[in-house]
Each structure stands twice: as C-alpha cells, then as structure tokens.
Amino acid sequence: ERPRSRARPPHSSPLAPPPAALEEAMPLKQEVAEQLTGQWQVGLFEAPCKAPLPFCLGCCCMCCMAGKQRLEIIDVLGEEYVCCGGMFPCGPLGSPQDRNCAWAEACCCTGLAIAGNRFLIQTRLDRQNTACDDCILWVTCLAPLVLCICQCAGCDVPEGIEHCVHFMTITVDGCMLAQQQVEIDHVKEMGFAGANPAIVAMLPPLQQQMIGQARPMGPAAHAGMAAGAILGGAAGAGAMMGAAGAGRPAPTAMGQAAGGRPPMQMAMSAKGGFMNTMAPNGMPWWQYCQGLPATVDRGSGLLVGPWGECLAWAKVFEVHNPGWSSDPNFAGGPAGQVVHAALSTCPPHLRAATEQAAERLEMACEQACFHGAPLPLIGQRA
C-alpha cells in the first residue's frame, strides 16, 4: 500500500540533498492505486544497469533532469503545466502556469518535482509499483525519518551514517528519474491513447479537469483529429483531440471471436451478438465494458471511453462482415446492440444525450470508413 502523504523532516546539514524520497513515495490514494495495472518497462532496482545514462544524469544533476522530464511528460500528455503535477492544488499551485515554471519547481522543490513526474506517469499511463519498488521507496523514506528522530532525541549519530542516508537518497532519485525516462521514451515511440477512465474516475476533480482539457498527440489522437476534420473541418479536428481513447490496452487488430477465428467468420459464430465477440485485448466486449458508465466527451459531443471503443469496433465489424444482417444473433445490428447496452448503463435523464453522442460517433466512423481514414478512438482503418 502507498502512503497518502509524506512529511518532510528538517535536514541535518545545510549542504545535504533534500530527502526527495519522502515525497516520491507517491501521494496516491488507495482507491487510485488499486486501479493501476500497467507495468514499468524497467524496474526501479534494475534502472541503473538498463538505463545508465539517465541514471547518471539523475544522480549528478537531478534538478535539470526533473525539469526536462516534466516538460517531456506534459508534451506527451498534452496537458498544461501545473505545479507538482497538481498534487497540491492550493492557490496558484492548482492552476496552469507558464511551462517554464517547471525549471523553478525542479530547482526549488526537486523532490516534489520528481514526485510530480511519477504521479503523472502512474495516473496517466497506468503504471503500478512492484513490490520491490515499494520496498525501495519505503526504506529510502523511513531512513531520513529515523535519522531525524535520533538527532531530535539527542543521539550522537555518526557522520558516516548521515552520509550513507544522503547517498542512498541521491541513488534512489537517479533510479526513479531513469525508470521514468525509459517510460517516457517508450510512450513517445508507441503513442499515447489517453488515460484509463477507471483511474480518472478515482482522481480528484482538479486532476480530472487537467486530463479532460489535455490534447494528447499520440496515434489515437491523430485518428480522432482526422475524423473530426471530416465532420467539422478545423473546429471538428480540434474538438476530437480531446476524445482520443480510453487508456485501455491499445487495439492492434480487429477483435476476434473465441478460438482466434478471423473477423470474416465472427458473424456466424458469435452467439449472443456483438457484445460476446472478443475485444482486441482478448476480453469479451461485455466484460471489457462491464461496470463502466457510458461517457460523453464535452468537446466533441461523442461517446468515448470503453463504450466508444466498442462502438467504433462494431462499425469495423460491420464493414468486414457484410453478412451480419442475415444472422439473427446480430438483430438490430452490431452497432445498435452496443448502443442498447451502453444506454442500459445510463440514468434515465442521461440516456437521450448518450444516444445522441453514440449517433455522432457512428456518423464519424462511417465518414472515416468512406474516406479511408482511421476511425476515431481506435485509430483503425476499416
């Protein structure tokens, strides 16, 4: 379990590096931490060996590394700069500022800057700490506290022990910055599709607002822009940038029915309709969307999140399976079945707006299919 907050003890020496690990243990609430399922590309313990250059830079010049890393993160996420990643929304700390303020944060509050970077990566990219990561963070967190308590109690702590604690803190700082840098580089290469809605739902309102106003520029965002441009020119493209995916496992191919049958055979084998076919991550669509409400993007007016992905894939399914209309399992159409299932998750007063959002998404998908463009949300050409 991750602690909710950390206190920072006074330093024993004015030249001692700040015990950044106190903040870096991550102020993630338990309900948020429970939603994290993704894995880091490199473990915290192995970061020095697998990413030696970022590790050395993080140890020798953590201020520069933390500031540079924050700017890279907000560029990938498409979010505005908020001090400490919005972890402490008090006064100006809770509102967007000039991005160059990241350098001031990194120099004046290095530990919080590193913690903010990690918080953004974990909550936006869905990365959970391993047991080894937690152990390292806890030890590095508790060691300065024990040292401080001993000094306050009048114990004569050998100077060598103080130096060991400080060196351990610097080393963990370097490990964290290296681990985070590898993750950023990986997302830059693969693209960012958006935050997991299950995680977003557990975040505070300010964090949800930051994510909602983001303009990610990954492959899924480009696909959304293309569909938006087809519907509404430049304005439509701009609106669609905010509806780029749900952060679930990125689709790479058309979903298949159980047993790995190709898409053209799905219509004759998927008993129970489209919701019983397989999503790209191998889960049935009903399970992929289970327990999640239908979500409408305010900017584009489209159905987004898992239900939006499901509807977009249903349109791909209809194109690849022209014989679906003669199969009783798909009465009402694959897309119609998705819309019906999505509306069943909505309160009565939201059903009309959700149905309209689903119709707009269907139209965007159909226009994308007609023009040979990637479909919104999924980035897949039909």
Side-chain angles (χ1 to χ4, degrees), residues 179-243:
Q179 183 190 41
Q180 293 162 192
Q181 189 60 46
V182 171
E183 208 65 35
I184 295 169
D185 294 340
H186 174 73
V187 175
K188 281 183 177 180
E189 180 181 352
M190 302 303 296
F192 174 59
N196 188 331
I199 298 175
V200 176
M202 297 297 176
L203 294 174
L206 173 63
Q207 294 291 328
Q208 296 183 7
Q209 181 180 359
M210 291 168 59
I211 295 173
Q213 295 176 350
R215 296 294 181 265
M217 294 303 295
H222 286 300
M225 289 177 63
I230 292 171
L231 289 175
M240 280 299 298
M241 288 176 65

